[in-house]
C-alpha cells in the first residue's frame, strides 16, 4: 500500500480566490495535489481575512505560524513533509533555511506567481518614460534575491512562457529547475456559449482587478485619463464599471457617474459580473505573469480589449478574443467596435474558447507536474548534486539568514 505523501504549503497570504488571480492559482495547485492523494497543510504568518477561503472545505489543514520564531522548527519537525511549496520567493527567503535544517530530504518547490523583478523593472521603465529592455533585469535589485531563491529550490513553477525564456536566456538558469505551469482550467465546448447571456442580454464595459496590485491601479488611471474620454466622445451613452478588491481612497475618488465611470468596489461573484458585461477593458501598461482577469473573461464568453503587455504569453499565435492595441486612441475606437458589432463580438467569444482549450488544459500539465515531483522524491540527491550554484547560494543564505533570524527572535524576546 502506498504511503500518503505530505505537502506543506507556506503561504505569503491566505488564499482569496475571489479577490485575486494569485488566490485562484493557489487553489488550482491545491486541487492538483489533492487529486493525487497528497495530505495538505497550509501554513501562513499572514493575518486572517474576511475573504479568505475556508481551507477545511477542501480537506486542507490550516496552521498559523510566526516569522522569525523557532516554533516553526518544532512544527515542521513534527509534520515532516515530503514536499514543501513556497508561495513566492519572499517566503522561501524567510523559511527555506529552516526547512533545509529540519527536513533536509523534503522536496522544495517555489511557486513564483510571476517574475517579480520583470514587473518591477517594467514599472520603473514606465515611470521613467523609457522603453524597457531585458538587460534592465540584470541590474534590478529584486532580481538578485528572486533568482537566488529559484536556484536554491529543487523546482520552480513558472506561469508564463515569456518568463521561462527570460529565466533560461537572460539569467542562464538550468531548465531542470523550471516547470512551466500556466493557469489550469477545464476544457470548454463551443455550445457552452449558448448557456451564457447573449449579446443583447449584456451591457456595459467593465474592468476588474485587485487594487493591492499596482498594475491594476495604473490601468484604471489610464482608463480614466486617456481611454474613457475618447470612448465617451464617440459613444456618449457608454458606461464603465470598475470592480476590484481593496480599493483605496484614491481609487474611490475616480467614481464619476455623470461621466459613466463607476467605481463599484469588491465583486461578490466576479464570474457573474463578467458574464453580464459585454466587453472587458484591460489596457495594462506594465506587469508580468498571466492575467487571470483575461482568462476569466474568456471563460465567461466576454470579449476583451487589452495591450501587448496584457496579452503577453497568453494565447500562443491564436487570434485574441477581442483585440490587442497599445495606442490609446485606437484602443478606444476598437473598444466601441467590439461593443457594437455583434458578429465581431461572437467571433471573439469563439477565439476565447480556442485559447482556453489550446493553452490552459489542466489535464495537459497536472500529470506532468506530479510525475516530476515523484521522480524528485525518488532521487533528489542526483538532482541537487548537479545544481552547484543552488548549493553555493544555499550555503551562504543559510548562514546569513539563519543568524539574522535568530538575532530578530532573540531581540523580540
Amino acid at each position: 500500500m502506498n504511503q500518503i505523501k505530505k505537502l506543506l504549503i507556506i503561504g505569503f497570504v491566505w488564499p482569496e480566490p475571489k479577490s485575486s488571480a494569485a488566490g485562484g492559482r493557489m487553489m488550482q495547485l491545491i486541487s492538483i495535489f489533492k487529486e493525487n492523494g497528497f495530505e495538505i497543510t497550509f501554513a501562513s504568518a499572514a493575518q486572517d481575512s474576511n475573504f479568505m477561503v475556508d481551507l477545511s472545505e477542501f480537506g486542507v489543514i490550516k496552521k498559523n505560524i510566526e516569522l522569525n520564531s523557532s516554533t516553526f522548527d518544532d512544527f515542521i519537525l513534527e509534520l515532516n513533509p515530503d514536499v514543501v511549496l513556497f508561495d513566492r520567493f519572499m517566503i522561501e527567503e524567510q523559511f527555506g533555511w529552516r526547512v533545509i535544517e529540519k527536513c533536509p530530504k523534503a522536496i522544495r518547490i517555489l511557486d513564483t506567481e510571476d517574475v517579480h523583478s520583470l514587473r518591477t523593472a517594467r514599472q520603473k521603465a514606465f515611470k521613467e518614460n523609457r522603453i524597457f529592455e531585458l538587460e534592465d533585469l540584470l541590474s534590478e535589485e529584486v532580481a538578485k534575491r528572486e533568482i537566488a531563491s529559484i536556484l536554491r529550490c529543487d523546482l520552480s513553477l513558472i506561469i508564463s512562457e515569456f518568463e521561462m525564456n527570460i529565466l533560461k536566456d537572460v539569467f542562464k538558469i538550468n531548465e531542470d529547475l523550471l516547470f512551466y505551469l500556466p493557469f489550469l482550467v477545464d476544457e470548454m465546448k463551443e455550445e457552452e456559449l449558448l448557456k451564457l447571456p447573449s449579446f443583447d442580454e449584456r451591457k456595459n464595459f467593465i474592468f476588474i482587478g485587485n487594487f493591492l496590485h499596482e498594475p491594476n491601479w495604473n490601468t484604471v488611471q489610464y482608463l480614466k485619463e486617456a481611454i474613457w474620454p475618447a470612448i465617451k466622445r464617440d459613444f456618449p451613452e457608454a458606461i464603465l464599471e470598475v470592480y476590484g478588491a481593496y480599493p483605496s481612497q484614491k481609487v474611490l475618488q475616480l467614481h464619476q457617474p455623470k461621466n459613466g465611470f463607476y467605481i463599484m468596489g469588491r465583486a461578490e461573484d466576479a464570474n457573474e459580473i463578467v458574464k453580464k458585461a459585454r466587453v472587458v477593458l484591460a489596457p495594462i501598461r506594465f506587469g508580468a505573469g498571466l492575467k487571470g482577469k483575461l482568462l476569466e473573461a474568456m471563460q465567461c464568453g466576454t470579449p476583451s480589449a487589452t495591450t501587448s503587455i496584457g496579452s503577453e504569453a497568453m494565447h500562443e499565435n491564436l487570434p485574441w478574443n477581442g483585440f490587442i492595441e497599445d495606442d490609446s486612441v485606437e484602443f478606444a475606437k476598437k473598444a466601441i467596435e467590439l461593443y457594437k458589432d455583434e458578429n465581431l463580438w461572437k467571433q471573439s467569444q469563439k477565439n476565447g474558447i480556442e485559447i482556453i482549450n489550446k493553452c490552459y488544459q489542466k489535464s495537459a500539465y497536472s500529470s506532468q507536474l506530479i510525475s516530476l515531483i515523484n521522480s524528485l522524491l525518488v532521487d533528489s540527491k542526483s538532482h541537487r548534486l548537479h545544481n552547484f550554484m543552488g548549493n553555493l547560494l544555499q550555503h551562504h543564505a543559510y548562514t546569513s539568514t539563519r543568524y539574522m533570524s535568530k538575532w530578530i527572535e532573540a531581540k523580540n524576546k
Side-chain angles (χ1 to χ4, degrees):
M1 188 174 150
N2 287 344
Q3 190 182 352
I4 291 175
K5 294 187 281 284
K6 291 182 188 173
L7 167 70
L8 169 64
I9 301 172
I10 309 178
F12 181 68
V13 291
W14 300 105
E16 289 187 24
K18 289 186 176 178
S19 300
S20 71
R25 159 78 160 186
M26 181 52 74
M27 296 313 294
Q28 287 168 13
L29 289 173
I30 285 172
S31 80
I32 290 173
F33 283 102
K34 261 286 164 201
E35 285 160 17
N36 285 277
F38 279 78
E39 183 183 281
I40 306 174
T41 301
F42 193 108
S44 180
Q47 295 288 315
D48 286 12
S49 85
N50 294 332
F51 304 101
M52 61 193 263
V53 79
D54 182 353
L55 290 165
S56 65
E57 286 184 9
F58 298 88
V60 175
I61 299 158
K62 176 180 180 284
K63 173 73 180 173
N64 292 78
I65 52 175
E66 294 176 3
L67 297 173
N68 304 303
S69 170
S70 53
T71 56
F72 178 84
D73 304 344
D74 301 330
F75 155 66
I76 197 169
L77 205 52
E78 187 181 341
L79 182 66
N80 193 23
D82 301 283
V83 180
V84 177
L85 177 80
F86 302 105
D87 170 26
R88 291 165 249 208
F89 78 89
M90 301 79 91
I91 292 297
E92 187 278 334
E93 286 181 327
Q94 183 68 233
F95 293 99
W97 67 271
R98 292 184 184 273
V99 173
I100 291 164
E101 187 178 72
K102 301 301 174 187
C103 298
K105 288 184 179 174
I107 301 304
R108 299 182 304 279
I109 301 174
L110 174 64
D111 182 34
T112 56
E113 292 289 355
D114 61 25
V115 173
H116 290 60
S117 48
L118 175 62
R119 176 158 29 99
T120 307
R122 276 179 168 162
Q123 188 171 336
K124 273 187 192 167
F126 172 79
K127 291 197 168 167
E128 291 165 11
N129 202 21
R130 60 180 174 80
I131 292 168
F132 163 76
E133 305 281 352
L134 285 177
E135 280 202 349
D136 293 348
L137 290 165
L138 298 173
S139 57
E140 187 54 57
E141 195 57 41
V142 74
K144 297 176 178 72
R145 293 170 53 201
E146 186 168 35
I147 299 306
S149 182
I150 287 171
L151 287 167
R152 284 192 297 265
C153 289
D154 296 308
L155 192 67
S156 288
L157 308 180
I158 312 301
I159 204 166
S160 148
E161 285 195 282
F162 180 76
E163 292 176 6
M164 278 287 277
N165 292 333
I166 283 176
L167 292 169
K168 289 186 285 187
D169 301 340
V170 178
F171 293 110
K172 313 297 180 194
I173 293 177
N174 186 329
E175 207 166 343
D176 290 347
L177 298 176
L178 308 172
F179 184 79
Y180 170 58
L181 192 72
F183 291 127
L184 302 175
V185 297
D186 295 322
E187 188 182 357
M188 194 170 172
K189 294 188 165 56
E190 213 171 280
E191 50 264 35
E192 288 178 53
L193 291 175
L194 300 172
K195 298 173 192 168
L196 295 168
S198 67
F199 177 83
D200 288 330
E201 289 168 332
R202 296 173 182 245
K203 61 177 185 178
N204 301 341
F205 293 100
I206 65 160
F207 170 82
I208 193 159
N210 185 325
F211 285 109
L212 295 178
H213 192 54
E214 181 67 23
N216 287 334
W217 159 237
N218 181 270
T219 300
V220 172
Q221 281 179 298
Y222 185 39
L223 278 165
K224 186 75 167 68
E225 292 161 13
I227 290 168
W228 194 243
I231 289 176
K232 285 295 275 185
R233 201 165 43 243
D234 294 334
F235 183 15
E237 61 270 36
I239 286 173
L240 171 63
E241 295 178 334
V242 175
Y243 288 89
Y246 305 105
S248 64
Q249 199 51 45
K250 61 185 180 180
V251 176
L252 298 172
Q253 282 171 354
L254 298 181
H255 185 63
Q256 202 176 22
K258 274 197 285 190
N259 197 30
F261 200 97
Y262 291 81
I263 303 294
M264 308 297 288
R266 178 185 286 274
E268 280 309 308
D269 188 335
N271 226 273
E272 283 307 305
I273 283 160
V274 177
K275 280 177 189 171
K276 289 173 184 170
R278 194 176 285 179
V279 174
V280 167
L281 299 181
I284 298 160
R285 293 190 285 185
F286 56 82
L290 300 181
K291 312 302 176 284
K293 61 177 73 60
L294 296 176
L295 179 59
E296 181 177 50
M298 294 177 207
Q299 290 178 288
C300 293
T302 311
S304 65
T306 191
T307 55
S308 48
I309 291 279
S311 65
E312 180 180 271
M314 285 204 67
H315 61 121
E316 294 187 3
N317 293 317
L318 297 169
W320 189 250
N321 76 316
F323 68 83
I324 299 162
E325 179 58 63
D326 292 326
D327 177 78
S328 62
V329 175
E330 278 303 305
F331 190 101
K333 275 186 198 165
K334 289 182 179 175
I336 295 169
E337 187 187 353
L338 186 58
Y339 192 97
K340 292 184 172 182
D341 185 334
E342 188 171 354
N343 290 331
L344 174 64
W345 188 88
K346 284 181 173 173
Q347 184 54 53
S348 297
Q349 269 193 330
K350 290 175 185 173
N351 293 351
I353 287 183
E354 196 180 350
I355 293 167
I356 286 170
N357 294 340
K358 178 89 190 288
C359 307
Y360 300 100
Q361 278 313 292
K362 188 175 175 184
S363 54
Y365 297 99
S366 54
S367 54
Q368 283 179 46
L369 174 64
I370 296 300
S371 171
L372 184 52
I373 290 169
N374 284 336
S375 68
L376 286 171
L377 284 165
V378 170
D379 185 19
S380 60
K381 198 173 176 183
S382 164
H383 180 81
R384 288 171 176 174
L385 186 65
H386 290 95
N387 180 17
F388 180 76
M389 289 306 290
N391 292 326
L392 180 75
L393 287 162
Q394 206 176 91
H395 169 77
H396 289 287
Y398 179 91
T399 308
S400 58
T401 315
R402 181 175 183 273
Y403 284 107
M404 173 60 82
S405 189
K406 295 278 188 193
W407 178 78
I408 292 170
E409 185 176 7
K411 189 166 170 276
N412 288 343
K413 282 177 182 170

